[in-house]
Amino acid sequence: MNQSTVESGVEPLVETIVGIDLGTTNSEIAVVRDGRVEVIPVAGAVRILPSMVGIGDDGALLVGQPARNQYAAHPERTVRSIKRRMGESARVAMAGKDYAPQEISAMILRHLKSRAEAHLGVAVNKAVITVPAFFSDVQRQATREAGEIAGLEVVRIINEPTAAALAYESRHQGARKALVYDLGGGTFDVSVVNLEGDVVEVLASHGNNHLGGDDFDRKLVDFALAQLQQKHRADASRSPAAMARLQRAAEATKIALSDAPFATLAEEYLLEQDGIPVHLALEVSREQYEAMIEPYITETLDAVHVALSGAGLAVADIDEILLVGGATRTPLVLRRLEQELGKQPRAEVDPDLCVAMGAAIQAALIAGTQTHRVLVDVTPYTFGTSFLGELHGEPYAHCFAPLIRKNTPVPVSKSDVFFTVFDAQETVEVCVYQGEDPDALNNIEIGRFVIEGLSDAPAGNPIVLGLSLDLNGLLEVTAREKKSGLQRSITIGNAIARFEQDQLATARSRVQALFGEDGQQAGSASVDGGAGDETGAPGIQARRLGVEAQALVEKAER
């Protein structure tokens, strides 16, 4: 990037006000430049800063990824999830010294401020900072104080659901009611909002300031502790370093299970038991994990109904569901919300970034800067496979299982597990469909292949199916027998386009045949033509061709 580009990036006559999402697990900073929302990189191309602070061996301050890297080895010199402590009078220890929660948060804000200044080439002195809608006045004031300690004038504190709605609906026309479901690392809240243009009115909110992805991690840590105790008679809970490593491994496992049906929670040389090194290698299935966190998800859905009641609305009054926070990537969250509210949630804006983006939009409105709608690349279709299951209460061999849902940001990779039906089943045919219908045969088949030579195993042999869709519409499909690792894959070109070239040519020729060489519609020159056999048969044929051609054209346009 040349110097003139950098200099022209910030409007000289408009004051720079940034938007900051000060999160429990991660934090981000964004700004509006040239009418576009830009999330500012904090390290290289990385735009997400871990909300962790530490003191290094040399006494230097560590913020973000360096602090996270240190946490496993030196948890006593590192602080994480400080947002959960905001508003408390108790101090937190770090490297032998005590700090107020505002001071720790200020270190994160100061780091974000310096990254923004380096990126923008101008001083950054003002910010809009977001907080959970359920934050108390004391917690909001603590957040404002953290900004002041960091050298920022906090021009406004706004609710996270308000910011998220702005990111989703910037410049949207018309009034709508949305439910903003915000499940982050350490806090949860749900808000019912009225959207109209750039105005977001919060009608009601409910939540829990101590519920989030950290609690999901803790369930996995407890599961690992129980397995260590059972298998090795080892109590890792007595070692802060071992617990920090388990925490890190649990978070990685949680993230992996959002896209895959199995993940391994592993740490080598976790601790010693009677002088013998103890290694952890524990496979966790998505089914096991979802059973662990089900009570938490149920609690969030109870809060949804409390918020709806507070707004005086019924489920049917909600036009759409907006997802915020990294923990909303958990498939169980999507399923339960869809079951409970009867609508597929929107997630086309990155749930980790949308709050910071919305805060930047609010900051731009305060500064008097024009903003354009947030643009994202999403898949317009759902892709999945067929399986033997139940449809309308009856056994059916072609039930549709969606893996990549429409409006998912691309590139994206998703996988799920399916099981053989018979003992010693040697082959599995994989069919890939595009569509929404629960009956796969009513969707569009876009590819199929057979995986052969399966292990001699009883029925229920797991087969992991993965779909990966890139920005160019290339869909890679992989089927792998979990037991043996046997794998087969195909690549489907231009999966996002519904019409292949030969289909387009066929449709064009059929339509042309109806209009004839002179361009007039077949049959239009003889409006008064009789209904006898000689004229009737061609008329019926023309109508049949017309229906077929119209279907092909509609299929091309979808």
Side-chain angles (χ1 to χ4, degrees), residues 481-542:
E481 184 183 28
K482 184 172 179 290
K483 179 179 179 180
S484 67
L486 177 68
Q487 183 170 302
R488 173 82 193 280
S489 63
I490 61 169
T491 298
I492 301 170
N494 207 18
I496 291 179
R498 292 222 180 184
F499 237 34
E500 298 296 338
Q501 201 62 36
D502 58 342
Q503 292 176 308
L504 189 62
T506 301
R508 187 182 295 115
S509 64
R510 289 190 180 187
V511 171
Q512 184 64 35
L514 295 178
F515 281 83
E517 293 183 3
D518 58 358
Q520 287 193 337
Q521 186 174 349
S524 61
S526 180
V527 176
D528 296 327
D533 289 344
E534 291 185 3
T535 57
I540 293 173
Q541 177 71 1

Side-chain angles (χ1 to χ4, degrees), residues 18-21 28-32 36-40 47 128 130 158 160 162-168 170 348-364 371-376:
V18 296
I20 297 176
D21 175 14
E28 300 81 31
I29 184 167
V31 69
V32 171
R36 298 289 183 195
V37 182
E38 177 184 358
V39 181
I40 296 170
R47 298 179 293 174
V128 170
T130 63
I158 67 170
E160 289 166 3
T162 300
L166 282 172
Y168 271 99
S170 178
E348 65 267 29
V349 182
D350 190 323
D352 283 316
L353 303 179
C354 63
V355 170
M357 296 167 76
I361 292 171
Q362 180 66 64
T371 63
H372 303 304
R373 184 166 185 151
V374 176
L375 299 177
V376 292

